[in-house]
Amino acid sequence: EFSNSPKQGYTASVEMGKQIRGQRKGRGSVFVSHSKHRKGPVKHRALDFAERHGFIKGVVKEIIHDPGRGAPIARVVFRSPYKYRLEKMNFLAAEGVYTGQFLFCGAKAQLKIGNILPLSAMPEGTIICNVEEKQGDRGKIARASGNYASIIAHNLDDGTTRIRMPSGSKKIVKSTCRAMIGIVGGGGRLDKPMLKAGRAFHKYKAKRNCWPKVRGVAMNPVEHPHGGGNHQHIGKASTSKRDAPPGAKVGLIAARRTGRITGGVTKEK
């Protein structure tokens, strides 16, 4: 940055260091996702009268792979209840769904794997996936391969349902939110080791430019707040505050706590 005001002449403002990787990623450019060959968004049907008061039948035409996604996709075709046409939808393929299978969506659909019902129509303990967070948002929770949520309890007084998330944490959502019954297909994906760098290269080539990732402590001081020193060490607290400037926002950002989880706290079932 230079200012050429007549009083000062040309003066350079000194800025120490260089942009860190997180700042460059914010601009997009080469860091945007590789979506050219993707098969489109995966979501439930738009909530309509047929689903709110009855059910609608669709047929699974094919189960396909979506580049950059671990879970398989089911192409489901419905006959539109309002116009003379077919509606083609991309659903998450639950484990056990097959081509030619009839899937039913709606409040009065049967309790079977692959069907989509409101949470209020499912008993406690049901295993579900692609759960809506808010009614009509068409699926936000438990969408990765092998993931599932489960219904813990229904509160009939205020029309809410308590679900257990894939992480183990509990969440309360409206009982009118919809979910697919079953667990997402493609489970066990992480059980097989990568073994070689070439496989990681092709995995992330389909997703986005985020591999290989150089550690901050392996850099020079000019390139990263953790860089430099005679040994590879951070040399300061690994946490950074929420309002840290972009060039210093590295490590454990706004951490509520750090370190190992210790203590004999029993998990709620």
Side-chain angles (χ1 to χ4, degrees):
E1 294 176 15
F2 293 91
S3 74
N4 56 351
S5 62
K7 287 182 182 176
Q8 293 175 324
Y10 282 92
T11 57
S13 70
V14 179
E15 290 190 10
M16 294 177 66
K18 55 183 276 192
Q19 268 198 334
I20 63 172
R21 182 173 50 209
Q23 290 172 287
R24 292 196 297 120
K25 282 190 170 186
R27 300 182 65 151
S29 179
V30 296
F31 294 107
V32 295
S33 63
H34 301 162
S35 55
K36 181 175 167 63
H37 298 288
R38 301 211 178 157
K39 305 294 188 263
V42 174
K43 47 178 77 172
H44 298 320
R45 290 181 72 253
L47 187 61
D48 58 2
F49 185 89
E51 283 207 37
R52 282 199 304 271
H53 299 284
F55 65 88
I56 184 167
K57 182 175 84 169
V59 62
V60 180
K61 285 293 184 186
E62 56 179 345
I63 291 174
I64 53 176
H65 168 68
D66 189 16
R69 184 193 295 270
I73 290 178
R75 279 254 167 95
V76 186
V77 175
F78 295 89
R79 289 177 65 179
S80 171
Y82 308 107
K83 288 187 179 176
Y84 179 67
R85 66 178 180 196
L86 296 176
E87 289 178 354
K88 293 177 180 146
M89 299 295 306
N90 288 339
F91 283 0
L92 280 180
E95 218 166 87
V97 170
Y98 53 89
T99 52
Q101 180 181 353
F102 289 123
L103 292 187
F104 297 90
C105 305
K108 295 186 179 173
Q110 220 175 352
L111 200 71
K112 278 180 69 178
I113 285 178
N115 288 356
I116 296 169
L117 290 77
L119 298 178
S120 56
M122 303 179 194
E124 292 168 4
T126 307
I127 300 297
I128 51 177
C129 62
N130 202 8
V131 191
E132 288 185 330
E133 214 168 359
K134 297 180 173 64
Q135 184 187 5
D137 71 13
R138 302 174 76 176
K140 297 283 185 226
I141 300 167
R143 293 162 55 96
S145 57
N147 268 12
Y148 64 91
S150 55
I151 295 176
I152 299 172
H154 295 295
N155 188 337
L156 301 176
D157 297 332
D158 56 2
T160 58
T161 298
R162 198 157 188 249
I163 60 171
R164 182 185 179 279
M165 310 275 273
S167 64
S169 62
K170 315 292 189 296
K171 186 175 177 69
I172 293 172
V173 295
K174 288 281 184 187
S175 298
T176 48
C177 293
R178 296 171 293 170
M180 178 179 273
I181 295 170
I183 76 171
V184 185
R189 179 170 50 88
L190 300 178
D191 295 346
K192 184 180 179 183
M194 285 276 196
L195 290 182
K196 55 183 192 171
R199 287 184 185 155
F201 170 83
H202 290 294
K203 173 184 176 177
Y204 291 106
K205 185 183 177 189
K207 289 176 180 281
R208 69 202 76 81
N209 176 12
C210 65
W211 185 91
K213 192 172 279 183
V214 179
R215 293 165 300 131
V217 290
M219 298 182 191
N220 295 314
V222 73
E223 292 151 351
H224 198 274
H226 294 172
N230 284 346
H231 300 282
Q232 283 193 4
H233 69 295
I234 296 176
K236 56 178 81 72
S238 59
T239 54
S240 60
K241 55 185 180 178
R242 172 69 69 205
D243 57 347
K249 206 168 188 179
V250 294
L252 305 169
I253 296 165
R256 291 194 177 93
R257 64 180 304 285
T258 61
R260 285 182 160 184
I261 296 173
T262 57
V265 180
T266 55
K267 282 189 179 178
E268 185 188 337
K269 290 185 180 179

